[in-house]
Each structure stands twice: as structure tokens, then as C-alpha cells.
Amino acid sequence: MKRNILIAILCILANQEALAYECKPEKPLLIIISDISPDLPKDSFARKPKIIYRSGITQARVEESLDEKLNLQNLYVMNNQDAWIVNLVDKKGKHFVDRNPPFSVRMPIFIDSDPSFPADLFKELQFGCETGFFNSYNSPQKELKTESGTIYEQAVGANHWLAVLTRETPTGVPSHMFLLHDNKVVSTLQYNSFFELPKINPDLFKKPENVTFTEAN
């Protein structure tokens, strides 16, 4: 199971055929997530928070925590046809250019190499469009009582795979996102923060400064 969201983000600048639902965030977003999947070691770097900024369908930024073992701290900046990937530790990075408009940043929450994984279904389940995705499939909202209180759940799936969104209030922001395969939880994301911003600093999406870049093929 590939859980690192950045694997998905590397495929952001791609032409995609329109689906019944398309992820188009209406407002700038700040999202902080942690991967708390059940089989990840407690001290795993993958559990460290990631900060995500989105502005429309053409701009995004992802800030990783420091991986002390690898001496690596990645920053990803996407702006229209340009994408920059930087290691903030050594100040080196790569620059990617998409030469096939229209340009669209894509940030799918789940990807998997299993042949049965319904990639066409889940490719519009993106960070910033969680609620819209489930509502577009008319997923009914279920009220569930838990030891810590009431949660509200929606689910969409196919081919023995199921994505589940939970919120703490019926119209609130995401709390957790689960991916199940054959009724087993294989991935769990916790939303530490989810904010719609009245405005966003455009400098977040500019080419990072004081970095030595090489051009990607």
C-alpha cells in the first residue's frame, strides 16, 4: 500500500478527462494531515504532519516535516505548468515543466498499485474536495455513536475498496479519512486542521528562493 501523498502529487500536472465530479476548490485552503494508519510504526516518519496549501486548481504547496534519519525535508510547490521539489536541508531541488495545457494540480488522497484498486473512481477524491466528492455520489450520511462522541460518516467504494470520510458535525470539516480493502482498514489519515482562507499569500506558490535547481527531463 502506497500511503505517501507525495507519490500522488508528483503526477499533478496531467491532462485528465472530466468526470461527473471534478475537484475545483472554491476557496484557498490550509490543511494539516497526519498518517495514522494502523500498521505504521509509532516512530515512523510517515506519521509526521504534512502542511498542504491549495489555491484553485492550478496552485498547491506541500511542506513535509524533517526526516532526521535521511536528513531530508521536502517542499513541493506547484504553480500552473511549473513544479519545484526542494530538500530544505541541502537547498537543492528539481524543476518540472508540463508543456501540455490545460494545467491542473491534482492531489488524490489515495493511490494503490493493486490491480483491483478503483483508480478512476478515487482520482477525484482529492485534498480540498473531500465533502464534494462524497456528496457527488449521493453518499448517505450516517450518525454513529462512539466512545469519544458522535461522528458523521459517508462512504464510497468499488471492487472491495471503500473510502470513508468522518466529520464531528453534519456540516463540519473532515476529521478522518479511511481506506478499507475487504473490510480491513489499510490507511487512516487524521485531519489536524482544515481551514478555508479568505485570501492566501501568492508568494507560497512562487519558485523557492536560495535553492540550486536542476531541470527534470
Side-chain angles (χ1 to χ4, degrees), residues 136-151:
S136 73
Y137 286 94
N138 298 314
S139 173
Q141 190 175 82
K142 297 180 181 180
E143 181 178 324
L144 303 175
K145 303 293 183 181
T146 70
E147 293 181 356
S148 57
T150 302
I151 62 172

Side-chain angles (χ1 to χ4, degrees), residues 10-94:
L10 290 178
C11 301
I12 53 168
L13 301 173
N15 296 313
Q16 301 288 342
E17 294 181 1
L19 299 180
Y21 173 75
E22 290 184 89
C23 176
K24 295 181 177 180
E26 295 181 358
K27 296 182 179 180
L29 296 167
L30 167 59
I31 304 169
I32 303 177
I33 62 102
S34 296
D35 190 335
I36 59 170
S37 300
D39 62 346
L40 282 179
K42 295 296 183 182
D43 61 348
S44 171
F45 166 75
R47 287 184 175 270
K48 291 188 175 183
K50 295 179 177 65
I51 301 173
I52 300 169
Y53 296 91
R54 287 204 74 169
S55 181
I57 63 171
T58 60
Q59 295 179 316
R61 178 186 178 100
V62 179
E63 301 174 1
E64 279 194 341
S65 300
L66 174 65
D67 186 337
E68 296 178 353
K69 292 182 179 180
L70 296 179
N71 198 32
L72 182 70
Q73 185 175 11
N74 280 331
L75 167 67
Y76 298 75
V77 179
M78 289 72 72
N79 191 338
N80 288 285
Q81 72 269 30
D82 293 296
W84 298 275
I85 303 176
V86 178
N87 178 4
L88 295 175
V89 176
D90 63 11
K91 300 295 184 179
K92 294 181 180 179
K94 287 189 176 182

Side-chain angles (χ1 to χ4, degrees), residues 175-215:
S175 173
H176 291 84
M177 185 77 73
F178 301 88
L179 180 65
L180 288 76
H181 185 220
D182 287 333
N183 296 319
K184 178 184 178 182
V185 176
V186 293
S187 187
T188 304
L189 295 179
Q190 174 178 285
Y191 288 76
N192 304 321
S193 298
F194 190 108
F195 295 109
E196 290 187 344
L197 305 174
K199 60 180 180 179
I200 195 166
N201 184 352
D203 290 344
L204 289 171
F205 311 110
K206 290 183 178 179
K207 177 182 178 180
E209 298 181 346
N210 302 316
V211 175
T212 301
F213 285 101
T214 57
E215 295 296 321

